[in-house]
Amino acid sequence: MNIKNDSVVTIAYTLKDDSGTVLDTSKDHGDLAYLHGHENIVPGLEDALLGKVAGDEITASIEPEKGYGTRQEELVFEVPRSNLPEDEELNLGMQFRAQAQDEQQMIVTVVKIADDTVTLDANHPLAGQTLNFEVEVKNVRDATPEELDHGHVHGPEGHHHE
Ligand code: ZN
């Protein structure tokens, strides 16, 4: 069965940056099952996997535009220290969830700490990076109607509802 939109695809993968450093690997947390064509994974990796079958192994080098996007400097901003919880110790590089004005959840990274201000970066941590994937396709099946309705995979490797 070839990978197409609405396929449930199980992959083993390793992601490296341009210097060969491993950023993420399924060896650490198990294979990934995703729903193809539903923005579960970055567009460049979907493009590379389209039409593949179980057993195929691919490598893909994905530009930021087809990965986590380019860095946007306007997403780096300063906030008064008093806007952040007093009881929380701040460290460079720490990440937390914040709510944007449009109610969207975003992950921000602390990039600078001054006496009265903190500089936050709301770019995705992998924005601006070329993503070098090594992927093995483990399984391909059709999605169930419920999975298509939810837009994600159910079952052992997928999403679990409470
Ligand atoms: Zn669901």
Side-chain angles (χ1 to χ4, degrees):
M1 183 180 285
N2 295 86
I3 295 173
K4 59 184 186 309
N5 282 351
D6 302 342
S7 295
V8 170
V9 185
T10 305
I11 57 173
Y13 69 92
T14 297
L15 169 62
K16 294 177 182 172
D17 67 14
D18 272 338
S19 65
T21 302
V22 174
L23 301 172
D24 186 19
T25 174
S26 58
K27 288 176 188 132
D28 289 345
H29 46 72
D31 295 343
L32 171 74
Y34 78 94
L35 184 57
H36 196 91
H38 292 257
E39 299 180 355
N40 289 182
I41 62 172
V42 295
L45 190 54
E46 283 205 333
D47 291 349
L49 285 166
L50 184 66
K52 299 291 184 271
V53 298
D56 281 351
E57 293 183 36
I58 63 157
T59 60
S61 184
I62 297 167
E63 298 299 315
E65 290 78 10
K66 289 258 176 171
Y68 291 101
T70 52
R71 279 191 56 81
Q72 295 174 264
E73 287 317 310
E74 62 268 30
L75 292 179
V76 180
F77 53 94
E78 231 172 46
V79 297
R81 176 69 180 85
S82 55
N83 277 19
L84 299 167
E86 283 294 330
D87 53 352
E88 190 128 14
E89 196 187 337
L90 289 173
N91 296 300
L92 284 180
M94 77 183 281
Q95 297 183 325
F96 54 91
R97 277 177 197 285
Q99 192 122 15
Q101 276 154 355
D102 59 2
E103 303 281 297
Q104 278 261 1
Q105 289 267 344
M106 57 185 184
I107 306 276
V108 298
T109 306
V110 176
V111 292
K112 192 174 157 196
I113 302 171
D115 285 345
D116 299 325
T117 61
V118 177
T119 306
L120 302 173
D121 184 351
N123 284 287
H124 188 283
L126 295 179
Q129 295 219 39
T130 299
L131 309 173
N132 300 291
F133 278 101
E134 295 162 23
V135 181
E136 181 187 354
V137 180
K138 305 291 276 286
N139 190 54
V140 183
R141 66 169 168 86
D142 288 325
T144 65
E146 190 186 43
E147 286 172 326
L148 290 176
D149 189 40
H150 288 202
H152 55 229
V153 174
H154 293 167
E157 287 139 352
H159 190 86
H160 298 268
H161 290 283
E162 296 300 317

